[in-house]
Amino acid sequence: MKSRKSTGPKIALALAGGGPLGAIYEIGALCALDEALEGLDFNRLHHYVGVSAGGFIAAGLANGITPRQLCTAFIHSDSATDEVFDPSWLMVPAYREFARRGAMLPGLAASALWRATLGRKSLLNAIGQLGPALPTGIFSNEQIDLRLANLFSRPGRTNDFRRLKTRLTLVATDLDTGEAAPFGRPGWDHVPISKAVQASSALPGLFPPVEIDHRHFVDGALKKTLHASVALEEGVNLMLCLNPLVPFHSGEAAIPRIAEGGLPTVLSQTFRSLVHSRMALGMKHYERAYPGTDIVLIEPDHRDPELYLANTISYGQRRHLAEHAYQQTRALLRSDGAALGARLARHGVGLRADVLRDHGRHLVGAPHPAGRVAEAMASLHQGLDELAQALEPTLRPAR
């Protein structure tokens, strides 16, 4: 692997998964960070770590695709280029898997019938023999490999981990052992980047496992949420982490309670809670195990219903969600500017206050009406914070 030589601080980026919604959030957040952080080039970092949907983004950044270009590819539907990523590719039924499993059904059915009659087994035992005929995934993920292989074959890009000018690790889970498979690391870097993205994002039940070197791999989030330790173990000074999935706190929001949304919202909240609690434990471990590394986590507000109630099928909705993630990240940088700025400054990275104060900035055009309200509230809160800071010297003697 050709590593970029640099005498400056080593900065890494870890991107968690979260499906199409996670990718949209991470793109919006990265565009905000790219504008607001001075002295940091998101296409020239020391190490990129991607899991599941985060693997798409990490592979693109490592290949020199800017956050704004990723926004064009993932969010816009009217781009004149052929580099648009259409989520409809992921909605194609897994016909090959259906056919392969269907071919097994006659033999399995005969075996089940024999067990239930001549074998004198219970009906439940006999039905269990039909398990191998069930497809391992509903939708095909083959287009991920094909489309990304084409995208990374363009001039100036590569589909080979070993030819990158930086480090890229895409983590999947070995289905046969349950262990993490760090594609891009020595011993795993012969696999094409596009195939590694396909494996890392193969969510069990939704997509079939991906076969590589006679082994099967599924979504990397089954093992860990971020896998930031891949970069931390090699030594980095600043670790930036983006996590798009957080459990929703509905108590302060003017929307129905979680249970009133039925099974889909209950399962979504359950999944988010499990993933986030595991990630929180992992972050605490990282802070203890790597005290010399500054670790910065960017994630959505737990009280924000926008991303929780999102529908990513509509292109218009995706634009709104990307804009929302962009503005929410800007608001986070403004509110935590003092503490975050001090940590970033140690690594030669600064916060551009002028950019963060510019409320006319937008990612994908005019804001959604609901976004205007959120932006106005954010501006009001910022104004009050600035007023409090200005009055602080005057009020201190009175206290």
Side-chain angles (χ1 to χ4, degrees):
M1 175 179 294
K2 299 179 181 180
S3 300
R4 184 180 300 278
K5 295 182 179 180
S6 175
T7 57
K10 294 181 178 180
I11 303 176
L13 174 67
L15 301 170
L21 175 62
I24 292 169
Y25 171 81
E26 290 177 341
I27 288 173
L30 282 169
C31 286
L33 292 168
D34 190 39
E35 289 180 354
L37 299 185
E38 189 173 23
L40 183 64
D41 186 343
F42 277 96
N43 293 116
R44 298 172 64 89
L45 300 183
H46 178 72
H47 199 156
Y48 300 86
V49 181
V51 181
S52 193
F56 287 86
I57 314 301
L61 292 172
N63 254 297
I65 304 176
T66 68
R68 282 281 180 170
Q69 290 172 332
L70 286 171
C71 181
T72 299
F74 276 77
I75 309 302
H76 293 290
S77 61
D78 54 357
S79 174
T81 71
D82 58 352
E83 293 192 350
V84 174
F85 183 88
D86 190 345
S88 64
W89 301 339
L90 305 180
M91 303 301 289
V92 178
Y95 294 116
R96 185 178 301 181
E97 174 71 2
F98 294 161
R100 188 171 73 89
R101 298 290 172 172
M104 303 168 62
L105 186 58
L108 293 173
S111 175
L113 180 62
W114 183 89
R115 281 176 169 269
T117 55
L118 299 179
R120 297 184 178 182
K121 300 292 184 180
S122 66
L123 180 61
L124 185 62
N125 181 281
I127 294 177
Q129 298 301 304
L130 300 177
L134 296 176
T136 57
I138 301 174
F139 301 109
S140 172
N141 52 7
E142 295 177 357
Q143 286 296 315
I144 295 176
D145 180 25
L146 297 175
R147 301 282 182 166
L148 290 184
N150 177 60
L151 181 65
F152 296 152
S153 66
R154 309 290 172 84
R157 302 174 186 171
T158 179
N159 200 29
D160 190 333
F161 284 103
R162 296 163 295 189
R163 298 184 63 185
L164 288 171
K165 296 179 180 180
T166 185
R167 298 172 187 263
L168 170 66
T169 304
L170 303 173
V171 186
T173 302
D174 188 328
L175 187 61
D176 298 303
T177 65
E179 296 300 320
F183 292 108
R185 298 297 85 213
W188 300 88
D189 54 0
H190 65 287
V191 177
I193 295 174
S194 57
K195 178 64 73 173
V197 173
Q198 180 190 8
S200 179
S201 59
L203 184 63
L206 193 62
F207 301 111
V210 177
E211 184 174 358
I212 300 175
D213 295 341
H214 308 293
R215 302 190 70 82
H216 290 92
F217 299 89
V218 294
D219 198 304
L222 268 66
K223 189 70 177 178
K224 291 181 182 179
T225 302
L226 273 172
H227 288 278
S229 57
V230 173
L232 290 168
E233 289 172 357
E234 294 189 352
V236 294
N237 305 110
L238 176 62
M239 184 84 237
L240 301 176
C241 304
L242 265 66
N243 171 52
L245 292 184
V246 297
F248 178 53
H249 293 184
S250 64
E252 301 178 13
I255 63 171
R257 291 181 297 177
I258 299 295
E260 295 180 10
L263 182 61
T265 58
V266 171
L267 291 178
S268 175
Q269 181 76 333
T270 302
F271 177 74
R272 287 166 176 264
S273 299
L274 290 173
V275 169
H276 193 265
S277 63
R278 183 176 61 177
M279 189 207 66
L281 291 174
M283 294 298 292
K284 291 180 180 178
H285 167 71
Y286 295 154
E287 292 174 356
R288 291 193 303 267
Y290 308 98
T293 301
D294 279 316
I295 303 175
V296 176
L297 173 64
I298 305 293
E299 60 182 8
D301 188 337
H302 293 250
R303 298 161 298 180
D304 183 4
E306 291 280 345
L307 295 173
Y308 184 75
L309 300 176
N311 173 18
T312 58
I313 301 301
S314 164
Y315 272 110
Q317 181 76 350
R318 283 200 290 274
R319 288 195 184 98
H320 167 58
L321 293 173
E323 178 70 32
H324 184 75
Y326 171 80
Q327 297 295 352
Q328 190 183 79
T329 304
R330 283 169 50 82
L332 174 66
L333 294 175
R334 287 194 296 266
S335 63
D336 295 345
L340 180 59
R343 299 177 69 187
L344 295 175
R346 292 198 287 264
H347 310 285
V349 180
L351 281 175
R352 297 183 60 189
D354 58 327
V355 171
L356 294 174
R357 285 196 300 264
D358 182 2
H359 295 286
R361 287 180 175 265
H362 299 289
L363 179 63
V364 288
H368 187 276
R372 292 192 185 97
V373 175
E375 183 180 347
M377 292 300 294
S379 179
L380 175 60
H381 285 299
Q382 182 190 6
L384 292 174
D385 290 341
E386 292 176 351
L387 178 60
Q389 292 174 7
L391 294 175
E392 179 69 18
T394 304
L395 295 178
R396 188 178 296 115
R399 294 174 185 170

